[in-house]
Amino acid sequence: MAVHSNKTATLIVMLGALLLSSGCGNLAGHKNVDRGLSYIESHEYEEAAACFDAAEAAGENQRILYRAKGILDKNLGQYDSAVENFLKSLAATSGIPGDMDFDTNYYLADVYIKQEKYDEAVEVYDAILALRKRDKDAYYMRGMARLYSGDHDGATIDFNKAIALAGRNYDLRIMIYKALSSNGYEDEGKAILESCLNNTDPNMTNYEKGQISYYLGNNADAQSYLELARNERDMDKAPVVLLLGQTGEKQGDFNYAISVYKTFLAEDPDHPDIYNQLGLCQTNVGDYEGAVNSFEAGLALGNNEYSKALLMNEITAYEYAGNFAQAKTLMEKYRKAYPDDKDAEREEIFLSSR
């Protein structure tokens, strides 16, 4: 099965080649594709594949169909096929590329990074930036690809460009700090965060000061700023509480963190990320039953963004409790939902020996 080169793909999509899809498929609707995407969200991959087969038979929009098939392949860990489908989607673009085409390029680059094909990923981001010269996300992601490939200087240039375009986006600076730190450049990452505090922004909130202090390791300062933020009337309390609890965790004070999380959830229980963090704390103090209950409460909220972490952490809690039978049962469920998780594959092998 032939796969286009990435250079060909970028020419097709980013320079807006006047390539029209053959037949009437490009003019058709996409109700089967939409159903298939819903199945992907609920990790029902066989049902999604059946919907995409039906979409193909019905002649639904090829650009949308191939993109959806690529997303399915990506979730299944079938990266070669995902690349091919994303390229087909891009090739079916007619005229000037739109938001969906840029989105597909991001998917394509992400798959290249998963394949450790960093040069190909960089080329995709090059193509995005050729048309969207102020796209801070593309600069950040190109910096990540360059960092992974060992191009530290190129990564630094891209990160600096992203920061320059990001205004008061402290979350982006924190993500860059994490990337540099985890790849052996912690001092450089810290310098980025320190500059946020040194060049004091008069509009910097207590939460933002707490965030920066937390990642710099200044836990006492972080706790002070976050306690102030927690008491502010119009502040979104959930991210404040999450980080405030983690200041306690970093100092080994899990009981403080547990108290912070439980107090908040008693008033506002619709936060799977905080249930997840509470469960991790309970696991750390040996309260495995409490941890399982917390992870289950988080899963019951049905938020797909956090279901993966919650389910894996629940498996770990059952393992620590010595309940390997339940851990195995949940691992089967996890592997069906997240077949591309290679770490879980190794964990499943470990559990099979128990």
Side-chain angles (χ1 to χ4, degrees):
M1 196 174 289
V3 177
H4 299 279
S5 75
N6 188 58
K7 291 184 188 299
T8 303
T10 54
L11 284 173
I12 289 171
V13 65
M14 306 314 301
L15 301 183
L18 299 177
L19 180 62
L20 294 173
S21 299
S22 60
C24 63
N26 205 42
L27 302 176
H30 44 87
K31 66 177 183 179
N32 286 303
V33 172
D34 290 344
R35 286 178 56 220
L37 289 170
S38 295
Y39 278 125
I40 290 175
E41 283 190 15
S42 57
H43 312 297
E44 298 173 270
Y45 300 128
E46 291 179 8
E47 292 84 349
C51 286
F52 297 152
D53 288 343
E56 194 158 11
E60 292 188 15
N61 186 300
Q62 289 186 350
R63 173 167 157 255
I64 296 172
L65 171 59
Y66 284 126
R67 175 180 175 276
K69 291 175 77 171
I71 293 170
L72 175 60
D73 291 332
K74 177 179 177 289
N75 281 26
L76 291 171
Q78 298 170 359
Y79 298 137
D80 289 342
S81 182
V83 166
E84 183 172 356
N85 277 312
F86 289 140
L87 291 175
K88 284 181 177 179
S89 173
L90 296 173
T93 297
S94 58
I96 298 171
D99 288 343
M100 180 181 292
D101 301 305
F102 284 99
D103 186 59
T104 301
N105 269 283
Y106 273 107
Y107 274 118
L108 174 63
D110 184 51
V111 173
Y112 280 138
I113 288 174
K114 290 182 183 299
Q115 293 178 306
E116 300 184 5
K117 294 181 177 179
Y118 303 121
D119 290 344
E120 287 88 339
V122 166
E123 285 186 11
V124 176
Y125 296 124
D126 287 345
I128 292 172
L129 288 164
L131 288 186
R132 291 186 169 179
K133 301 183 187 303
R134 297 182 61 79
D135 190 329
K136 68 180 184 303
D137 294 327
Y139 278 119
Y140 165 70
M141 289 305 303
R142 190 172 71 178
M144 292 294 290
R146 285 176 164 165
L147 188 63
Y148 293 145
S149 71
D151 180 10
H152 166 265
D153 291 345
T156 299
I157 291 170
D158 279 340
F159 289 153
N160 287 337
K161 285 180 178 176
I163 288 169
L165 292 167
R168 295 184 63 256
N169 187 332
Y170 295 111
D171 286 336
L172 176 65
R173 290 162 171 79
I174 288 168
M175 289 192 297
I176 291 171
Y177 157 75
K178 288 180 178 179
L180 289 169
S181 181
S182 62
N183 284 274
Y185 303 102
E186 184 170 9
D187 288 345
E188 290 180 32
K190 281 189 170 182
I192 291 171
L193 297 187
E194 285 166 353
S195 70
C196 298
L197 292 179
N198 293 338
N199 303 323
T200 307
D201 174 0
N203 297 313
M204 197 175 191
T205 66
N206 284 315
Y207 170 62
E208 289 166 341
K209 291 175 185 175
Q211 272 188 303
I212 300 299
S213 299
Y214 172 83
Y215 286 106
L216 284 172
N218 303 331
N219 291 307
D221 289 346
Q223 212 159 348
S224 296
Y225 285 126
L226 293 167
E227 286 285 9
L228 289 171
R230 184 165 62 157
N231 293 315
E232 291 170 1
R233 174 185 283 184
D234 297 326
M235 186 68 201
D236 179 7
K237 299 296 192 293
V240 176
V241 164
L242 192 61
L243 201 56
L244 184 59
Q246 288 176 285
T247 63
E249 292 178 48
K250 279 180 76 173
Q251 297 172 84
D253 192 349
F254 294 106
N255 289 325
Y256 167 79
I258 288 169
S259 174
V260 168
Y261 299 141
K262 281 187 172 181
T263 299
F264 177 78
L265 289 168
E267 297 179 5
D268 189 357
D270 192 23
H271 293 278
D273 51 344
I274 296 180
Y275 274 116
N276 185 56
Q277 209 63 34
L278 171 59
L280 289 172
C281 287
Q282 290 167 317
T283 301
N284 269 298
V285 299
D287 179 11
Y288 304 125
E289 183 179 351
V292 166
N293 290 338
S294 294
F295 296 135
E296 286 287 348
L299 286 164
L301 295 172
N303 186 317
N304 288 324
E305 184 180 353
Y306 299 101
S307 58
K308 182 177 182 180
L310 284 159
L311 184 54
M312 176 52 77
N313 289 332
E314 183 181 4
I315 291 167
T316 302
Y318 274 118
E319 282 184 30
Y320 285 158
N323 189 341
F324 294 108
Q326 184 62 15
K328 285 180 187 178
T329 299
L330 290 178
M331 180 57 80
E332 289 172 10
K333 179 180 177 181
Y334 182 93
R335 291 286 293 139
K336 185 176 180 182
Y338 308 103
D340 63 327
D341 189 333
K342 300 303 179 186
D343 291 333
E345 188 176 348
R346 290 189 286 272
E347 185 70 12
E348 187 177 34
I349 293 168
F350 165 77
L351 280 172
S352 67
S353 66
R354 294 301 184 197

